[in-house]
Amino acid sequence: MPLIRGYYFYGRYDPANHLGYITNILTLGSITEYNIYPGIHIVTSIVALLTDVPPRILLSVIPPIYFLIYTLAAGLIIRYSFDFKSLTYATPLLIIPIFRDATIKLAPSIQGFMFAIFIFYIYSKFFNTNDFRYIVILITSVFAIVFYHPIAGLGIGFMIFLYVTVHQRDNQLTSFGAQTSYLILLLLGVIFLTWYSAFPIIGSHFVRVLASLLPSSFINFPTQGTSVDQYKSFFGVLPINYILQNAILRYGQIAILGVISVLSVIGLILRKRLNPVYIFFVIIFILSSFAAAVSMITDIIIGFGRISKYVIFSGTILSVWKIRDLNRRNKTQIALCVVTLILIFSLINLYSSPFTSSPNQQVAKNEQAIAEWTLEFRNQDMLINELGFTQEKLLTTMGGRIGSSLPDSVRRKSRE
């Protein structure tokens, strides 16, 4: 849609930073020292060189391609873990852009998550077939995902570990499959620690997470406010009907999927014996839901949005069981109604709009030109009051962050 409307690029906040990192790679021929997770930046730079398409355009092209990869991988996981009929029921849910703007926004954590689901499909195929041909793809993908985002690396590592554990408990694990799985986890851990230990900020973030979880008597380290605190400061002065309206419009599709997923979990737990794959996804859903809740009330940095993607992924697969159950009980109309509501709320949240009280993400060419002019001709003694114009983000698109920050003279006037 932004390309059709002729906007310069889409994403005035973090995507602008990532556009700057991509510009660095293309102009300098290397990754700058402050680029902690360059995976998606490298991929976008390669595509830009091969196709001669400007990176700002690729900001709107690459994310849907990763969503397509996620959709195909999740569908194949369902197909080979259960049966073709389950895939038939899952397809409407999988093709719906339920991740809100994450479907069309370039960000390392988003594309890293979708790549992790693809890796999990490759791993599950290898696990169930012991076909050595999947090993090459698996090792290459595990190596690459570390550079996408730390949460993506931890996510796929946890899924592989849990998958092995569940099948080992059910005596469905060959010695070859177990040994290979643990070697993959070892490789992932070594690459992960080697890469991220080189960045001091990762260590400070780790201490900050501990400080947010432990009493101050154990560790004293400055933390930032929680997501709940931020919502209180923003919505605390607004009418309750406005808050409820925004909550429903923004998270209606996730709430509906969550209810169906919980009903599926309850129904599956009440069964006498569960398929190990169902056990795996039930555990993923419960643990990721718990972690998402913790991220709302503590400052663990990871963020609700990043963790909730694993809730949505596992919830989508579990929901197939409930939808099939409704169909068996001749309640297909209810299932269609549920899928339709999820589709409507997902489309409402696909792009930022006043309807969902979300800021405009589209950047016009003249707005970028103003940012460039400001950097060159600004009065360095005068602070700039930002009203929808994020100078730091827009200026990074010119050459990215070669250092840890922009010049000290690029400052914003504090709002009183």
Side-chain angles (χ1 to χ4, degrees):
M1 187 63 70
L3 297 180
I4 295 174
R5 299 186 65 181
Y7 280 92
Y8 194 62
F9 68 88
Y10 185 81
R12 64 175 56 251
Y13 298 112
D14 285 351
N17 272 350
H18 300 307
L19 179 57
Y21 285 127
I22 295 165
T23 304
N24 276 340
I25 294 174
L26 293 173
T27 56
L28 302 177
S30 62
I31 302 168
T32 53
E33 59 180 311
Y34 294 97
N35 193 345
I36 300 176
Y37 20 78
I40 191 61
H41 308 141
I42 295 173
V43 171
T44 308
S45 299
I46 292 172
V47 174
L49 289 172
L50 292 176
T51 62
D52 204 28
V53 176
R56 61 181 179 83
I57 301 297
L58 293 177
L59 284 184
S60 298
V61 175
I62 296 293
I65 294 176
Y66 271 81
F67 177 70
L68 177 61
I69 293 172
Y70 161 82
T71 301
L72 293 174
L76 290 171
I77 289 171
I78 294 172
R79 167 66 181 87
Y80 291 109
S81 297
F82 306 110
D83 52 39
F84 185 79
K85 194 169 185 179
S86 295
L87 175 61
T88 305
Y89 286 107
T91 299
L93 288 175
L94 291 175
I95 63 176
I96 292 174
I98 195 171
F99 295 105
R100 306 175 71 229
D101 63 347
T103 310
I104 43 87
K105 184 172 73 174
L106 190 137
S109 63
I110 297 171
Q111 282 74 56
F113 157 75
M114 295 179 179
F115 188 36
I117 303 307
F118 167 78
I119 295 176
F120 180 72
Y121 161 67
I122 298 297
Y123 170 75
S124 63
K125 282 291 289 182
F126 159 74
F127 186 90
N128 292 302
T129 62
N130 284 334
D131 191 336
F132 190 79
R133 292 176 298 177
Y134 291 104
I135 289 292
V136 177
I137 302 175
L138 188 58
I139 292 177
T140 305
S141 301
V142 165
F143 177 85
I145 197 170
V146 172
F147 305 101
Y148 271 75
H149 198 276
I151 304 304
L154 293 173
I156 186 60
F158 178 75
M159 285 193 290
I160 291 175
F161 174 77
L162 182 61
Y163 199 80
V164 171
T165 304
V166 169
H167 283 78
Q168 199 168 29
R169 171 186 173 276
D170 209 60
N171 296 319
Q172 295 188 14
L173 185 64
T174 64
S175 58
F176 176 73
Q179 292 172 3
T180 307
S181 299
Y182 291 132
L183 284 175
I184 291 171
L185 288 174
L186 178 62
L187 173 66
L188 177 64
V190 170
I191 299 172
F192 186 93
L193 292 175
T194 302
W195 175 255
Y196 288 109
S197 62
F199 299 94
I201 191 173
I202 297 296
S204 64
H205 281 344
F206 179 72
V207 175
R208 180 175 147 193
V209 169
L210 292 178
S212 65
L213 296 175
L214 299 175
S216 57
S217 56
F218 284 90
I219 182 171
N220 188 11
F221 191 84
T223 60
Q224 298 181 4
T226 66
S227 298
V228 172
D229 294 333
Q230 295 175 8
Y231 286 132
K232 283 182 179 179
S233 63
F234 181 74
F235 290 108
V237 296
L238 299 175
I240 186 65
N241 61 325
Y242 179 84
I243 297 173
L244 290 175
Q245 175 186 330
N246 272 270
I248 294 172
L249 289 175
R250 288 192 180 197
Y251 301 104
Q253 73 278 18
I254 298 176
I256 295 170
L257 181 67
V259 171
I260 300 299
S261 303
V262 170
L263 292 175
S264 298
V265 169
I266 294 173
L268 287 167
I269 291 176
L270 291 177
R271 297 178 66 179
K272 293 182 179 180
R273 182 170 176 80
L274 278 181
N275 182 320
V277 179
Y278 273 128
I279 296 175
F280 169 79
F281 284 112
V282 166
I283 295 175
I284 288 289
F285 178 78
I286 293 174
L287 291 183
S288 56
S289 298
F290 175 76
V294 171
S295 71
M296 292 288 291
I297 59 177
T298 60
D299 178 29
I300 62 171
I301 303 175
I302 298 174
F304 174 81
R306 292 169 178 170
I307 301 177
S308 63
K309 292 178 180 60
Y310 293 90
V311 181
I312 295 172
F313 164 63
S314 55
T316 300
I317 294 179
L318 292 172
S319 296
V320 174
W321 182 86
K322 189 61 182 178
I323 292 175
R324 290 191 67 169
D325 180 59
L326 289 172
N327 185 64
R328 281 194 298 267
R329 293 157 55 187
N330 295 321
K331 295 183 178 180
T332 308
Q333 295 85 351
I334 297 178
L336 288 174
C337 181
V338 168
V339 173
T340 302
L341 286 174
I342 292 176
L343 173 63
I344 292 172
F345 281 112
S346 298
L347 292 178
I348 289 174
N349 283 277
L350 186 58
Y351 290 97
S352 300
S353 69
F355 191 58
T356 56
S357 301
S358 49
N360 180 23
Q361 295 285 330
Q362 299 176 110
V363 178
K365 187 174 183 179
N366 283 343
E367 190 173 4
Q368 180 64 30
I370 290 171
E372 297 176 8
W373 185 93
T374 301
L375 181 62
E376 185 175 357
F377 299 106
R378 68 192 181 280
N379 183 344
Q380 299 188 14
D381 297 324
M382 182 179 295
L383 299 178
I384 298 176
N385 191 1
E386 296 181 345
L387 298 174
F389 175 88
T390 310
Q391 51 185 325
E392 181 183 2
K393 301 292 185 182
L394 290 178
L395 293 174
T396 55
T397 64
M398 297 174 58
R401 290 187 175 187
I402 298 176
S404 60
S405 62
L406 291 166
D408 292 336
S409 56
V410 180
R411 298 170 292 177
R412 63 171 65 104
K413 181 179 179 181
S414 59
R415 297 177 181 175
E416 300 177 356

